Amino acid sequence: MNNIFTNNIKKIEFDALIVGGGGSGMRASLELAKSGLKTAVVSKVFPTRSHTVSAQGGITCAIASADPNDDWRWHMYDTVKGADFIGDQDAIEYLCSEGPKAVFELEHMGLPFSRFENGRIYQRPFGGQSKDFGKGGQAARTCAAADRTGHALLHTLYQNNVKEGTNFLNEWFAVDLVKNSKDEVTGVIAFSIENGEVAYLKAQATVLATGGAGRIYASTTNALINTGDGLAMALRAGFPAQDMEMWQFHPTGIYGAGSLVTEGCRGEGGFLINKDGERFMERYAPNVKDLAGRDVVARSMVLEILEGRGCGENNDHIYLKLDHLGAEVLNSKLPGICELSRTFAHVDPVYEPIPVVPTCHYMMGGTPTNISGQAFSRINDQDYLIPGLFSAGEAACVSVHGANRLGGNSLLDLVVFGRATGKHIQSELKSGGGVESATKSDIDNSLERLNKLNESSNGFDPADVKKELQECMQNYFGVFRRGEFMQKGLDQLNELKEKVDNLHLKDKSDAFNTSRVEAIELQNLFEVAESTAVSAFKRTESRGAHARDDYPDRDDENWLCHTIYDPITKEVSKRGVNFEPNKVEAFPPKVRTY
Amino acid sequence: MFGNKLQVNLYRYNPEEDKFPYMKKYVIEKPKRDIMILDLLHLLKEEDQSISYRRSCREGVCGSDGMNINGKNGLACITPISSVVKRNKIELRPLPGLPVIRDLVVDMTEFYAQYEKIKPFLQNETTAPEQERLQSPEERDKLDGLYECILCACCSTSCPSFWWNPDKFVGPAALLQAYRFLADSRDLKTEERLEALSDPFSVYRCHGIMNCVNVCPKGLNPNKAIGEIKSMLHKNKKDIIVTDGV
């Protein structure tokens, strides 16, 4: 892959192009493929290798199976509260009210949900769930396929895309967006990982469905491929990111390995203990204990460890106790967890507790979109829709998760908004919408980064730089944050910027060159990390997953708002939260306790 | 002789540089704790950027990193070194029987083609109810041990029948999925599915060698599923004869 010029690359045209073959991407593509529009999914891995496959516990939705009186408004209340009141209420309303339709569709497609005796879909309790707007006790609202719900969901979506004849460009890597002179998005530059062929994938609608970027941290539950490629492409194109300081640390990542242990373990009756065997969540969340919001549980665990009550030789982790549930429950309801703990923690949960520690899990922020998946930028403090650009799933910030996502809401998010995005694009394109073509120099701009890497004859080693970046984020932007430490982190990121811009790609070959992929992924991680750091430093309060030692309280007067990070000026501005749902009264902010 | 060292023999092939594939020897300090084969590959790649392999979830659920480890197919990310090392040596090769793109990366086109051939999606053209289709826990239990397949290809690429007829024999992975839909109470195309498998190759090239069961990293049993399909085919055939007789 020598210097590449626009004149000698192939152009492939589509109506709609989905970047990313995970849950949201394949839900969008399914909608579009059925409509007859020429649709393609470009994915850097074979679609069933996408990170949706790792989701375990389930998809939260008021389908009224465990409780025939369940109500989507209760789910909405929980989600608004879980988000610590900066989730947009119009979007949350859409998520919760459309959810049942989207879940039943998945079942009709063949998703092998677990079942209750009456034949309906099995639902289990998850954290932050309540009946009757918090007044009716714990709800069981998370629809599950054992503890392999993500796997079942992703494979079902892939299977149905095969059925509908979706075009897949598998193991193609999207490098950068192509913009025309009017700042409209007209597709992406991508290359085939298999043979290095570079192409301009032109589309009337480009959907970023590239998932999260948990790999900005040294310790994460995320797959190695979660490098925020789509969000980084949008940032490089000058488009903003929203709420990037909001990263969820999952309470139960396996100590040392980082693999996820589903919240469903606690939903089924498991609980956390410290080194004295004390069920400490009774002190922090007296009502719902281990099923408080993830941010609350994660912070409680870190406090236990900091106060010397952690488990193990170094008092640096917590135990998740499951043995009292018995072998039968564990093997039928949580078989995947038993397998994972035997492999990665060398313990059998039937007999021993699992060593766990809060681990980076989910990016609540992302490319801001409306409920139709249309991405927008901010001009003069107004939302301005970006023609041709869409986003859905973890890559997007619609924002239904606000400052803290509830367990089981990510799978619902990706099917509901993947579907909505597909539907919107279909109606937009069928009514004649679209974008103007890009010129040669527009395309040249998007080839710049790839060419620079291919020409590098010296510079920094990507593997070293990646480690530095991940350590920096882990040290200064973790579960607890403080201004002075974050300043150190920002300084270090400034130094890293120089290195990230001058990576040395030693291997220039074309055939399945994973070094090239990893170098570009590192640059993507940096974009996401920088936006996270700047936004976190700016928000001088504690809310949801963003907990600051130096500003321990929530500050509704100043910060009941989204943050918008501008990648060009590297400044953060505020954007109002939507408090105008259509079918119900808005839920006003109140003190958040569990 | 290799007290503190670990010798890794790695299959190398870069089509742009190498006429033929070859085994390259890497000698590294033995890791202090037991790590997975995938971690070992990361260590090697830090030293030699040109090594190529697939990986994603690193916890055994995505199926990217199937490879041949000391002669047996498995997933690199959930195979601890200690479970495979022999006299301080580990040999890593690509999955056998498929064309090699580079190093440990194989071309899985034929494998996926067989998967698509069995129509791996629920077929039920009756009008869907407003809610979910009902399924009893007992009916749902029949899908356990089938739907969990991660398409890593460890089984099919360890199967001599698949090596011999990768275009005609569906192979254990796709047959497991064929049975997953045959066993689903919600799927209504049983006859058509069986008909499509009734030729001498699709199913009947399975001779019960059992390599598939031996290597499946998820502990699944394609051989059993194939047996079920065979008995359904058998039963189906008899039914047809009886009907013909009438």
Side-chain angles (χ1 to χ4, degrees), chain B residues 95-160:
Chain B
L95 290 173
L98 293 176
V100 174
I101 296 173
R102 175 173 177 171
D103 298 340
L104 299 174
V105 178
V106 291
D107 181 348
M108 295 177 72
T109 309
E110 275 183 323
F111 175 79
Y112 295 136
Q114 292 297 351
Y115 177 65
E116 291 192 18
K117 200 155 95 184
I118 61 101
K119 303 203 168 162
F121 38 82
L122 192 84
Q123 296 184 75
N124 183 332
E125 279 146 23
T126 60
T127 310
E130 261 185 41
Q131 297 189 333
E132 69 270 47
R133 290 196 163 96
L134 300 181
Q135 186 172 49
S136 72
E138 293 72 30
E139 288 168 333
R140 169 59 184 76
D141 283 351
K142 292 186 179 148
L143 308 183
D144 282 341
L146 306 173
Y147 82 97
E148 301 93 323
C149 172
I150 58 174
L151 299 177
C152 65
C154 284
C155 60
S156 292
T157 61
S158 70
C159 174

Coordinates of all heavy atoms in Angstrom, one line a residue, chain B residues 95-160:
Chain B
L95 N -5.7 -22.9 11.4 CA -6.7 -24.0 11.3 C -6.4 -24.8 10.0 O -6.3 -24.2 8.9 CB -8.1 -23.4 11.3 CG -8.7 -22.8 12.5 CD1 -10.0 -22.1 12.3 CD2 -8.8 -23.8 13.7
P96 N -6.4 -26.1 10.1 CA -6.1 -26.9 8.9 C -7.2 -27.0 7.9 O -8.4 -26.8 8.2 CB -5.8 -28.3 9.5 CG -6.2 -28.3 10.9 CD -6.6 -26.9 11.3
G97 N -6.8 -27.1 6.6 CA -7.8 -27.4 5.6 C -8.4 -26.2 4.9 O -9.1 -26.4 3.9
L98 N -8.2 -25.0 5.4 CA -8.6 -23.9 4.7 C -7.4 -23.1 4.1 O -6.3 -23.2 4.7 CB -9.4 -22.9 5.6 CG -10.8 -23.5 6.2 CD1 -11.4 -22.5 7.2 CD2 -11.7 -23.8 5.0
P99 N -7.6 -22.4 3.0 CA -6.5 -21.6 2.4 C -6.0 -20.6 3.5 O -6.7 -20.0 4.2 CB -7.1 -20.9 1.2 CG -8.4 -21.5 1.0 CD -8.9 -22.1 2.3
V100 N -4.6 -20.4 3.5 CA -4.1 -19.5 4.4 C -3.9 -18.1 3.7 O -3.4 -18.0 2.6 CB -2.7 -20.0 4.9 CG1 -2.0 -18.9 5.8 CG2 -2.8 -21.2 5.7
I101 N -4.4 -17.1 4.4 CA -4.2 -15.7 3.9 C -2.9 -15.2 4.3 O -2.1 -14.7 3.5 CB -5.4 -14.8 4.4 CG1 -6.7 -15.2 3.8 CG2 -5.1 -13.3 3.9 CD1 -7.9 -14.5 4.4
R102 N -2.6 -15.3 5.6 CA -1.3 -14.9 6.1 C -1.2 -15.5 7.5 O -2.1 -15.4 8.3 CB -1.2 -13.4 6.2 CG 0.0 -12.9 6.8 CD 0.1 -11.4 6.7 NE 1.3 -10.9 7.4 CZ 1.7 -9.6 7.4 NH1 1.0 -8.8 6.6 NH2 2.7 -9.2 8.0
D103 N 0.0 -16.0 7.8 CA 0.3 -16.5 9.1 C -0.8 -17.4 9.7 O -1.1 -18.4 9.1 CB 0.7 -15.4 10.1 CG 1.9 -14.6 9.7 OD1 2.7 -15.1 8.9 OD2 2.0 -13.4 10.1
L104 N -1.5 -16.9 10.8 CA -2.5 -17.7 11.4 C -3.9 -17.4 10.9 O -4.9 -17.9 11.4 CB -2.5 -17.6 12.9 CG -1.1 -18.0 13.6 CD1 -1.2 -17.6 15.1 CD2 -0.9 -19.5 13.4
V105 N -4.0 -16.6 9.9 CA -5.3 -16.1 9.3 C -5.7 -17.0 8.1 O -5.0 -17.0 7.1 CB -5.2 -14.7 8.9 CG1 -6.6 -14.2 8.3 CG2 -4.8 -13.8 10.1
V106 N -6.8 -17.7 8.3 CA -7.3 -18.5 7.1 C -8.5 -17.9 6.4 O -9.2 -17.1 7.0 CB -7.7 -19.9 7.6 CG1 -6.5 -20.7 8.1 CG2 -8.7 -19.9 8.7
D107 N -8.7 -18.3 5.2 CA -9.8 -17.8 4.4 C -11.0 -18.7 4.8 O -11.0 -19.9 4.4 CB -9.4 -17.9 2.9 CG -10.5 -17.4 2.0 OD1 -11.7 -17.2 2.5 OD2 -10.3 -17.3 0.8
M108 N -12.0 -18.1 5.4 CA -13.1 -18.9 5.9 C -14.3 -18.8 5.0 O -15.4 -19.3 5.3 CB -13.5 -18.4 7.3 CG -12.4 -18.6 8.3 SD -12.7 -18.0 9.9 CE -14.0 -19.1 10.5
T109 N -14.1 -18.4 3.7 CA -15.2 -18.3 2.8 C -16.0 -19.6 2.7 O -17.3 -19.6 2.7 CB -14.7 -17.9 1.4 OG1 -13.8 -16.8 1.5 CG2 -15.8 -17.6 0.4
E110 N -15.3 -20.7 2.5 CA -16.1 -22.0 2.3 C -16.8 -22.4 3.6 O -17.9 -22.9 3.5 CB -15.1 -23.1 2.0 CG -14.8 -23.2 0.5 CD -13.9 -24.3 0.1 OE1 -13.0 -24.6 0.9 OE2 -14.1 -24.8 -1.0
F111 N -16.2 -22.1 4.7 CA -16.9 -22.4 6.0 C -18.2 -21.6 6.1 O -19.3 -22.1 6.4 CB -15.9 -22.0 7.1 CG -16.5 -22.2 8.5 CD1 -16.7 -23.4 9.1 CD2 -16.9 -21.0 9.2 CE1 -17.2 -23.5 10.4 CE2 -17.5 -21.1 10.5 CZ -17.6 -22.4 11.1
Y112 N -18.1 -20.3 5.8 CA -19.3 -19.4 5.9 C -20.4 -19.8 4.9 O -21.6 -19.7 5.1 CB -19.0 -18.0 5.8 CG -18.1 -17.4 6.9 CD1 -17.0 -16.6 6.6 CD2 -18.4 -17.7 8.2 CE1 -16.2 -16.0 7.6 CE2 -17.6 -17.2 9.2 CZ -16.5 -16.3 8.9 OH -15.8 -15.8 9.9
A113 N -19.9 -20.2 3.7 CA -20.8 -20.6 2.6 C -21.7 -21.8 3.0 O -22.9 -21.9 2.8 CB -20.0 -20.9 1.3
Q114 N -21.0 -22.8 3.7 CA -21.8 -23.9 4.2 C -22.8 -23.5 5.3 O -23.9 -24.0 5.3 CB -20.9 -25.0 4.8 CG -20.0 -25.6 3.8 CD -20.8 -26.4 2.8 OE1 -22.0 -26.6 2.9 NE2 -20.1 -26.9 1.7
Y115 N -22.4 -22.5 6.1 CA -23.4 -22.0 7.1 C -24.6 -21.4 6.4 O -25.7 -21.7 6.8 CB -22.6 -21.0 8.0 CG -23.5 -20.3 9.0 CD1 -24.0 -21.0 10.1 CD2 -23.7 -18.9 8.9 CE1 -24.8 -20.3 11.0 CE2 -24.4 -18.2 9.9 CZ -25.0 -18.9 11.0 OH -25.7 -18.3 11.9
E116 N -24.3 -20.5 5.4 CA -25.5 -19.9 4.7 C -26.3 -20.9 4.0 O -27.5 -20.7 3.9 CB -24.9 -18.9 3.7 CG -24.3 -17.7 4.4 CD -24.0 -16.5 3.5 OE1 -24.6 -16.4 2.4 OE2 -23.3 -15.6 3.9
K117 N -25.7 -22.0 3.5 CA -26.4 -23.0 2.8 C -27.6 -23.6 3.6 O -28.6 -24.0 3.0 CB -25.5 -24.1 2.3 CG -26.0 -24.9 1.1 CD -24.8 -25.5 0.3 CE -24.5 -26.9 0.8 NZ -23.3 -27.5 0.1
I118 N -27.4 -23.8 4.9 CA -28.4 -24.4 5.6 C -29.6 -23.5 6.0 O -30.5 -23.8 6.8 CB -27.9 -25.1 6.9 CG1 -27.2 -24.1 7.9 CG2 -26.8 -26.2 6.5 CD1 -28.0 -23.8 9.0
K119 N -29.6 -22.3 5.5 CA -30.6 -21.3 5.8 C -30.7 -21.1 7.3 O -31.7 -21.5 8.0 CB -32.0 -21.7 5.2 CG -31.9 -21.8 3.7 CD -33.2 -21.7 3.1 CE -33.0 -21.6 1.6 NZ -34.2 -21.8 0.8
P120 N -29.7 -20.4 7.9 CA -29.5 -20.3 9.3 C -30.4 -19.2 9.9 O -29.9 -18.3 10.5 CB -28.1 -20.0 9.5 CG -27.7 -19.2 8.3 CD -28.5 -19.8 7.2
F121 N -31.7 -19.3 9.7 CA -32.6 -18.3 10.2 C -34.0 -19.0 10.4 O -34.3 -19.9 9.7 CB -32.7 -17.1 9.3 CG -32.8 -17.4 7.9 CD1 -33.9 -17.8 7.2 CD2 -31.6 -17.3 7.1 CE1 -34.0 -18.1 5.9 CE2 -31.6 -17.6 5.7 CZ -32.8 -18.0 5.1
L122 N -34.7 -18.5 11.4 CA -36.0 -19.1 11.7 C -36.9 -18.8 10.5 O -37.0 -17.7 10.0 CB -36.6 -18.4 12.9 CG -37.8 -19.1 13.5 CD1 -37.3 -20.3 14.4 CD2 -38.6 -18.2 14.3
Q123 N -37.6 -19.9 10.1 CA -38.6 -19.8 9.0 C -40.0 -20.1 9.6 O -40.3 -21.2 9.9 CB -38.2 -20.7 7.8 CG -36.9 -20.3 7.2 CD -36.6 -21.1 6.0 OE1 -37.2 -20.9 4.9 NE2 -35.7 -22.1 6.2
N124 N -40.8 -19.1 9.6 CA -42.2 -19.3 10.1 C -43.0 -18.1 9.4 O -42.9 -17.0 9.8 CB -42.2 -19.1 11.6 CG -43.6 -19.4 12.2 OD1 -44.6 -19.1 11.5 ND2 -43.7 -19.9 13.4
E125 N -43.7 -18.5 8.4 CA -44.4 -17.5 7.6 C -45.9 -17.2 8.1 O -46.6 -16.4 7.5 CB -44.4 -17.8 6.1 CG -43.1 -17.5 5.5 CD -42.7 -18.4 4.4 OE1 -43.6 -19.1 3.8 OE2 -41.5 -18.5 4.1
T126 N -46.2 -17.8 9.2 CA -47.6 -17.5 9.8 C -47.5 -16.1 10.3 O -46.4 -15.6 10.7 CB -48.0 -18.5 10.9 OG1 -47.0 -18.4 11.9 CG2 -48.0 -19.9 10.4
T127 N -48.6 -15.4 10.4 CA -48.6 -14.1 10.9 C -48.2 -14.1 12.4 O -48.7 -14.8 13.2 CB -50.1 -13.5 10.9 OG1 -50.6 -13.7 9.5 CG2 -50.1 -12.0 11.1
A128 N -47.2 -13.2 12.7 CA -46.7 -13.2 14.0 C -47.7 -12.6 15.0 O -48.4 -11.6 14.6 CB -45.4 -12.4 14.0
P129 N -47.8 -13.1 16.2 CA -48.7 -12.5 17.1 C -48.2 -11.1 17.5 O -47.0 -10.8 17.2 CB -48.7 -13.4 18.3 CG -47.3 -14.1 18.2 CD -47.0 -14.2 16.7
E130 N -49.0 -10.3 18.2 CA -48.5 -9.0 18.7 C -47.4 -9.1 19.7 O -46.5 -8.3 19.7 CB -49.6 -8.2 19.2 CG -50.2 -7.2 18.2 CD -51.3 -6.3 18.8 OE1 -51.1 -5.8 19.9 OE2 -52.2 -6.1 18.0
Q131 N -47.5 -10.2 20.5 CA -46.4 -10.4 21.5 C -45.4 -11.5 20.9 O -45.4 -11.7 19.7 CB -47.0 -10.8 22.8 CG -47.8 -9.7 23.4 CD -48.2 -10.1 24.8 OE1 -48.3 -11.3 25.2 NE2 -48.5 -9.1 25.6
E132 N -44.7 -12.1 21.8 CA -43.8 -13.2 21.4 C -44.6 -14.4 21.0 O -45.7 -14.6 21.5 CB -42.7 -13.5 22.4 CG -43.3 -14.2 23.7 CD -43.7 -13.2 24.8 OE1 -44.4 -12.3 24.4 OE2 -43.3 -13.4 26.0
R133 N -44.0 -15.3 20.2 CA -44.5 -16.6 20.0 C -44.2 -17.4 21.3 O -43.1 -17.3 21.8 CB -43.9 -17.3 18.8 CG -44.3 -16.7 17.5 CD -43.9 -17.7 16.3 NE -44.6 -17.3 15.1 CZ -44.1 -16.5 14.1 NH1 -42.9 -16.1 14.2 NH2 -44.8 -16.2 13.1
L134 N -45.2 -18.2 21.7 CA -44.9 -18.9 23.0 C -44.1 -20.1 22.7 O -44.1 -20.7 21.6 CB -46.3 -19.3 23.6 CG -47.2 -18.2 24.0 CD1 -48.5 -18.7 24.6 CD2 -46.5 -17.2 24.9
Q135 N -43.3 -20.5 23.7 CA -42.5 -21.7 23.6 C -42.3 -22.2 25.1 O -41.9 -21.4 25.9 CB -41.1 -21.3 23.0 CG -40.2 -22.5 22.7 CD -38.9 -22.1 22.0 OE1 -38.3 -21.2 22.3 NE2 -38.6 -22.9 20.9
S136 N -42.6 -23.5 25.3 CA -42.5 -23.9 26.7 C -41.0 -24.1 27.0 O -40.1 -24.2 26.2 CB -43.1 -25.3 26.8 OG -42.4 -26.3 26.2
P137 N -40.7 -24.0 28.3 CA -39.3 -24.2 28.7 C -38.7 -25.5 28.2 O -37.5 -25.6 27.9 CB -39.3 -24.2 30.3 CG -40.6 -23.5 30.6 CD -41.5 -23.8 29.5
E138 N -39.5 -26.6 28.1 CA -39.0 -27.9 27.6 C -38.7 -27.8 26.1 O -37.7 -28.3 25.7 CB -40.1 -29.0 27.8 CG -40.4 -29.3 29.3 CD -41.2 -28.2 30.0 OE1 -42.0 -27.5 29.4 OE2 -41.0 -28.1 31.2
E139 N -39.5 -27.1 25.4 CA -39.2 -26.9 24.0 C -37.9 -26.0 23.8 O -37.1 -26.3 23.0 CB -40.4 -26.1 23.3 CG -41.6 -27.0 23.1 CD -42.8 -26.2 22.6 OE1 -43.0 -25.0 22.9 OE2 -43.7 -26.8 22.0
R140 N -37.8 -25.0 24.7 CA -36.7 -24.2 24.6 C -35.4 -24.9 25.0 O -34.3 -24.7 24.4 CB -36.9 -22.9 25.5 CG -35.6 -22.1 25.7 CD -35.0 -21.5 24.5 NE -33.8 -20.7 24.8 CZ -32.7 -21.3 25.1 NH1 -32.5 -22.6 25.1 NH2 -31.6 -20.5 25.4
D141 N -35.5 -25.8 25.9 CA -34.3 -26.6 26.4 C -33.7 -27.4 25.2 O -32.5 -27.6 25.2 CB -34.7 -27.6 27.5 CG -34.9 -27.0 28.8 OD1 -34.6 -25.8 28.9 OD2 -35.4 -27.6 29.8
K142 N -34.5 -27.7 24.2 CA -34.0 -28.5 23.1 C -32.9 -27.7 22.3 O -32.2 -28.2 21.5 CB -35.1 -28.9 22.1 CG -36.0 -29.9 22.8 CD -37.0 -30.4 21.8 CE -37.9 -31.5 22.5 NZ -39.2 -31.6 22.0
L143 N -32.9 -26.3 22.5 CA -32.0 -25.5 21.7 C -30.6 -25.4 22.5 O -29.6 -24.9 21.9 CB -32.5 -24.1 21.5 CG -33.9 -24.1 20.8 CD1 -34.3 -22.6 20.6 CD2 -33.9 -24.9 19.5
D144 N -30.6 -25.8 23.8 CA -29.4 -25.7 24.5 C -28.4 -26.7 23.9 O -28.7 -27.8 23.6 CB -29.6 -26.1 26.0 CG -30.2 -24.9 26.8 OD1 -30.1 -23.8 26.3 OD2 -30.8 -25.1 27.8
G145 N -27.1 -26.3 23.9 CA -26.1 -27.1 23.3 C -26.1 -26.9 21.8 O -25.2 -27.6 21.1
L146 N -26.9 -26.1 21.2 CA -27.0 -25.9 19.8 C -26.7 -24.4 19.4 O -25.9 -24.0 18.6 CB -28.3 -26.3 19.2 CG -28.8 -27.7 19.5 CD1 -30.2 -27.9 19.0 CD2 -27.9 -28.7 18.8
Y147 N -27.5 -23.5 20.1 CA -27.5 -22.1 19.7 C -26.2 -21.4 20.1 O -25.8 -20.3 19.6 CB -28.7 -21.3 20.3 CG -28.6 -20.9 21.7 CD1 -28.1 -19.6 22.0 CD2 -28.8 -21.8 22.8 CE1 -28.0 -19.2 23.3 CE2 -28.7 -21.4 24.1 CZ -28.3 -20.1 24.4 OH -28.1 -19.7 25.7
E148 N -25.5 -22.0 21.1 CA -24.3 -21.4 21.6 C -23.1 -21.4 20.7 O -22.0 -20.8 21.0 CB -23.8 -22.1 22.9 CG -24.9 -22.1 24.0 CD -25.8 -23.4 24.0 OE1 -26.1 -23.9 22.9 OE2 -26.1 -23.9 25.0
C149 N -23.2 -22.0 19.5 CA -22.0 -22.1 18.6 C -21.5 -20.7 18.3 O -22.3 -19.7 18.0 CB -22.5 -22.8 17.3 SG -21.2 -22.7 16.0
I150 N -20.2 -20.5 18.2 CA -19.6 -19.2 18.0 C -19.0 -19.1 16.6 O -18.2 -18.1 16.3 CB -18.6 -18.8 19.1 CG1 -17.5 -19.9 19.2 CG2 -19.3 -18.7 20.4 CD1 -16.4 -19.5 20.1
L151 N -19.2 -20.1 15.8 CA -18.6 -20.1 14.4 C -17.1 -19.9 14.3 O -16.6 -19.2 13.5 CB -19.3 -19.0 13.5 CG -20.8 -19.2 13.4 CD1 -21.4 -18.0 12.6 CD2 -21.2 -20.5 12.7
C152 N -16.4 -20.6 15.3 CA -14.9 -20.4 15.3 C -14.3 -21.4 14.3 O -13.1 -21.2 13.9 CB -14.4 -20.7 16.7 SG -14.6 -22.4 17.2
A153 N -15.0 -22.4 13.8 CA -14.6 -23.3 12.8 C -13.6 -24.3 13.3 O -13.0 -25.1 12.5 CB -14.0 -22.6 11.6
C154 N -13.4 -24.4 14.6 CA -12.4 -25.4 15.2 C -12.9 -26.8 14.8 O -12.1 -27.7 14.4 CB -12.4 -25.3 16.7 SG -11.4 -23.9 17.2
C155 N -14.2 -27.0 14.8 CA -14.8 -28.4 14.6 C -14.6 -28.7 13.1 O -14.0 -29.7 12.7 CB -16.2 -28.5 15.0 SG -17.4 -27.4 14.3
S156 N -15.2 -27.9 12.2 CA -15.2 -28.2 10.8 C -13.8 -28.4 10.2 O -13.5 -29.3 9.4 CB -16.0 -27.2 10.0 OG -17.3 -27.2 10.3
T157 N -12.8 -27.6 10.7 CA -11.5 -27.7 10.2 C -10.7 -28.8 10.9 O -9.5 -29.0 10.6 CB -10.7 -26.4 10.3 OG1 -10.6 -26.0 11.7 CG2 -11.4 -25.3 9.5
S158 N -11.3 -29.5 11.8 CA -10.6 -30.7 12.3 C -11.2 -32.0 11.7 O -10.8 -33.1 12.1 CB -10.7 -30.7 13.8 OG -12.0 -31.0 14.2
C159 N -12.2 -31.8 10.8 CA -12.9 -32.9 10.3 C -12.4 -33.4 9.0 O -12.5 -32.7 8.0 CB -14.4 -32.5 10.2 SG -15.4 -33.8 9.4
P160 N -11.9 -34.6 8.9 CA -11.3 -35.1 7.6 C -12.4 -35.1 6.5 O -12.0 -34.9 5.3 CB -10.9 -36.6 8.0 CG -10.7 -36.6 9.4 CD -11.7 -35.6 10.0

